[in-house]
Amino acid sequence: MQKSAIFKSAFLLLFSISWSAASAKPINEFIRCVVLNSGNPTAASQVIFAPNNASYLPILNSKIQNFQYARPNTPKPLVIITPNHESQIQAAIHCSKKFDLQIRIRSGGHDFSGASYVSLQSPFFMLDMSNFRSISIDVKSRTAWLGVAARLGEVYYSIYQANSSLYFPGGSCTTVEIGGLVSGGGYGPFVRKYGLAADTVIDARVVDANGRILDRKSMGEDFFWAIRGGNGASFGVIISYKVKLVETRQNFTAFNISRTLEQNAIQLLYKWQYVAPKVPRDLSITAIFFPGSAAFLAFFQGDVDTLLSLMKEYFPELGVTKEDCEEIRWIDNYAYQYGLPIQSTNEILLSGINLNLSPNPYFKGKSDFVQKPIPEIGIRKIWNLFLQRNVQDASMEFTPFGGIMNEIPVSKIPFPHRAGTLYLVVNVASWNSTNTTSAKKGINWSRKLYRIMGKYIPNTPNNPRGAYVNYRDFDLGTNNPHGYTSVEQARIWGAHYFKSNFDRLVKVKTIVDPKNFFNFEQSIPPNQPWSKQGILIHKKGFETLAYIDN
């Protein structure tokens, strides 16, 4: 028998033993504990779902974006709790300690590696924050309190209805929810103008490892710093964020142009690297690679004539004409970017339809922050890999930085990829099949593209290759499979996400959660030799589990 087959068999046996060991009695006792400690037993009993409940699987699957981690043999929570009151969160934390259950916290479920609803630490339960989706806008102070599960589409719609000249600089995907977005940073089409979503946060409500409900004043500035871009689930259960809204124009100009190889797509992307991070910050030009073509998507806070003048000055090679452009409201860009009629804007924002980088339910994604332009030969290698792909669908999105991102200090929040970063790139391979072969092809294709990119991106101890924590990637490493995770071991993956800010995150963790209650495959560890870290497996084992055939 091959080593890989032996590993898979042993791995599945391990989980069948550990999960069967969790009898019904302790599960029922855990549920009883939560109910009795929540303050309102009747209300609490209505938000707890065991696997034998008819609502269990619909709730579990409702927000899963990557069904690679929803296969029958993937470990699932023993219990799902969907709290609608803060006291139920406090009770869940108290009882999970009492019964030694791991906790997984989910708002939107967009985690690339499924860490918000899957755990290799057994047993575990999931805290689904879906009921915390309130949106409260104060136009006078230009602020908003946003529940952790509020979808971006709902947020944009609510802000526009309150005052069409105000804006929240969130992401492009309207089904992403505030909790995951802000806790990892949160970039969007206007990141060059306004910075990250996390840069706008001025207060928060959090339940810590001791069950205390804290705001910015009571948690202190270090704790508050960590939950804005520093892997928030490492430190507590985020309930809501208060953000400062920014002023924006009501009317924008946009274009979306595709170019093929014969239309100099490779040369255009090469030139784009020198142009997009340096144009005036009112203009954002995103580039997207697809098999056989490259698209250039632009949004400009101004009129069409000014946009054409800028394109002629900075990027004449693209050949933008007035016929390519369309004047839209700022809120319409969320329909326009997907080639949908702007008349459908409200439907897209409010329907919860998932329009993201992956057109298929199974995918693998990886990210990079690029500091030096990739040479034309490197872009050609990427192009050729797209043409030779053996996956169903693939894309590669390049989002320019520069602008205000060059002016915000690296240490303002944990997100470190500021001055000197030209752009963020994310590659996604996706497939629409449950078989092992499709999954292996997709994962291997994504990793091969990442290796090609790596030839042109520095990766040294003093300048580790960057990655975006909201595109969580277990290929970078995970915490110790056999117990305690040292800070230096966690730094292997943590430095990619946080660079020099990693050590400050460890200090905060050591103070606010010294016993490592909030821990998962890539959680920030405390600097304590007695901290608990659950049983994990080799970094590739998590993905291996996801595509093992039954």
Side-chain angles (χ1 to χ4, degrees):
M1 183 181 290
Q2 295 181 346
K3 288 184 178 179
S4 60
I6 295 173
F7 170 77
K8 293 176 184 179
S9 298
F11 183 72
L12 290 176
L13 177 61
L14 168 66
F15 274 95
S16 65
I17 293 173
S18 61
W19 280 67
S20 63
S23 67
K25 184 176 179 180
I27 297 173
N28 291 335
E29 289 177 353
F30 169 74
I31 294 173
R32 177 178 171 82
C33 176
V34 174
V35 169
L36 293 179
N37 284 275
S38 64
N40 186 334
T42 301
S45 64
Q46 296 172 354
V47 299
I48 302 175
F49 304 89
N52 60 354
N53 188 298
S55 298
Y56 173 90
L57 275 179
I59 292 173
L60 177 62
N61 293 332
S62 63
K63 291 188 176 183
I64 293 180
Q65 306 295 333
N66 189 354
F67 274 79
Q68 184 182 345
Y69 303 109
R71 294 171 62 88
N73 59 345
T74 303
K76 294 175 175 57
L78 295 183
V79 175
I80 298 174
I81 301 176
T82 60
N84 52 30
H85 192 272
E86 294 168 350
S87 63
Q88 295 161 359
I89 301 173
Q90 295 172 302
I93 291 174
H94 167 76
C95 297
S96 64
K97 290 180 177 179
K98 182 176 180 180
F99 290 90
D100 199 25
L101 284 178
Q102 294 293 323
I103 184 173
R104 288 295 177 268
I105 309 164
R106 183 174 76 173
S107 56
H110 280 260
D111 191 311
F112 273 20
S113 294
S116 63
Y117 50 89
V118 177
S119 175
L120 298 186
Q121 305 178 50
S122 171
F124 76 101
F125 76 99
M126 183 176 74
L127 197 67
D128 187 298
M129 299 294 291
S130 297
N131 293 320
F132 288 81
R133 57 187 296 182
S134 61
I135 300 170
S136 178
I137 299 168
D138 187 333
V139 173
K140 186 176 181 180
S141 65
R142 297 176 184 173
T143 61
W145 273 103
L146 306 175
V148 70
R151 293 196 307 261
L152 280 177
E154 299 170 327
V155 172
Y156 297 142
Y157 177 85
S158 299
I159 292 172
Y160 192 85
Q161 294 300 310
N163 187 325
S164 58
S165 296
L166 295 179
Y167 175 68
F168 171 66
S172 298
C173 184
T174 58
T175 56
V176 166
E177 296 181 0
I178 291 297
L181 178 84
V182 173
S183 67
Y187 74 95
F190 309 117
V191 65
R192 305 182 64 253
K193 174 76 171 181
Y194 302 115
L196 303 170
D199 292 328
T200 71
V201 175
I202 56 176
D203 205 345
R205 286 180 63 80
V206 182
V207 183
D208 74 359
N210 295 315
R212 299 175 300 176
I213 300 174
L214 308 173
D215 60 9
R216 178 174 183 172
K217 182 178 180 180
S218 56
M219 76 177 72
E221 288 303 303
D222 285 338
F223 197 160
F224 182 63
W225 174 85
I227 61 172
R228 294 174 294 155
N231 211 354
S234 293
F235 304 94
V237 179
I238 314 296
I239 298 172
S240 58
Y241 285 107
K242 185 180 183 181
V243 300
K244 188 73 175 176
L245 304 177
V246 299
E247 288 193 57
T248 189
R249 289 176 60 107
Q250 294 188 35
N251 297 320
F252 284 24
T253 304
F255 66 75
N256 191 349
I257 297 174
S258 292
R259 295 289 185 258
T260 63
L261 183 64
E262 293 73 21
Q263 295 170 315
N264 298 319
I266 292 175
Q267 292 78 13
L268 288 171
L269 185 59
Y270 174 72
K271 177 66 180 294
W272 173 92
Q273 299 175 101
Y274 292 90
V275 172
K278 296 181 179 180
V279 296
R281 61 190 65 182
D282 284 338
L283 173 60
S284 175
I285 311 172
T286 298
I288 308 173
F289 254 17
F290 299 104
S293 68
F296 297 87
L297 174 65
F299 294 109
F300 174 60
Q301 298 188 35
D303 58 58
V304 63
D305 291 331
T306 306
L307 173 58
L308 290 173
S309 177
L310 289 172
M311 295 304 296
K312 184 177 181 180
E313 176 184 356
Y314 287 94
F315 203 3
E317 296 87 348
L318 191 56
V320 180
T321 67
K322 196 165 189 175
E323 290 69 29
D324 295 319
C325 301
E326 184 173 353
E327 293 188 345
I328 62 175
R329 304 172 301 170
W330 72 255
I331 200 170
D332 292 326
N333 83 81
Y334 301 102
Y336 184 89
Q337 66 182 326
Y338 294 107
L340 300 173
I342 60 175
Q343 293 80 5
S344 64
T345 290
N346 289 352
E347 179 185 357
I348 291 168
L349 295 178
L350 299 177
S351 67
I353 298 172
N354 187 22
L355 300 171
N356 57 23
L357 285 173
S358 172
N360 295 303
Y362 305 88
F363 65 89
K364 168 67 178 178
K366 300 180 75 67
S367 63
D368 270 304
F369 288 93
V370 179
Q371 297 174 320
K372 294 179 62 177
I374 297 172
E376 190 172 318
I377 188 173
I379 296 174
R380 188 171 296 277
K381 289 179 180 179
I382 294 170
W383 182 276
N384 290 337
L385 184 63
F386 269 83
L387 293 180
Q388 300 165 9
R389 80 190 196 286
N390 54 3
V391 294
Q392 192 164 348
D393 285 287
S395 65
M396 192 175 189
E397 183 171 304
F398 304 76
T399 300
F401 276 28
I404 197 172
M405 291 295 281
N406 286 336
E407 301 168 10
I408 299 174
V410 168
S411 60
K412 178 185 177 181
I413 63 173
F415 182 98
H417 312 285
R418 304 282 192 173
T421 297
L422 296 178
Y423 57 89
L424 164 62
V425 59
V426 53
N427 81 67
V428 175
S430 65
W431 54 96
N432 192 20
S433 173
T434 60
N435 66 63
T436 304
T437 301
S438 296
K440 285 182 177 179
K441 285 181 178 180
I443 292 170
N444 290 336
W445 186 92
S446 180
R447 289 172 176 164
K448 185 174 183 179
L449 177 54
Y450 186 74
R451 288 195 296 271
I452 292 175
M453 289 286 293
K455 296 178 181 179
Y456 310 103
I457 299 176
N459 185 23
T460 65
N462 294 328
N463 185 26
R465 185 177 179 179
Y468 183 37
V469 69
N470 275 358
Y471 297 148
R472 193 178 306 283
D473 184 2
F474 289 159
D475 288 352
L476 301 176
T478 60
N479 291 332
N480 193 353
H482 304 299
Y484 168 66
T485 296
S486 70
V487 171
E488 291 310 310
Q489 182 176 346
R491 191 188 305 278
I492 295 171
W493 57 263
H496 293 284
Y497 297 138
F498 306 114
K499 297 201 172 186
S500 59
N501 290 328
F502 176 76
D503 286 320
R504 184 177 175 187
L505 287 170
V506 171
K507 290 180 181 178
V508 175
K509 175 74 171 184
T510 304
I511 294 171
V512 306
D513 186 17
K515 294 185 179 179
N516 205 18
F517 173 74
F518 295 106
N519 72 85
F520 52 92
E521 291 77 15
Q522 282 186 347
S523 60
I524 303 295
N527 193 11
Q528 301 283 9
W530 58 82
S531 70
K532 178 182 65 177
Q533 185 68 49
I535 298 175
L536 308 180
I537 61 170
H538 186 267
K539 62 185 180 182
K540 293 183 180 179
F542 193 85
E543 288 177 335
T544 300
L545 172 68
Y547 61 72
I548 295 174
D549 279 334
N550 293 314

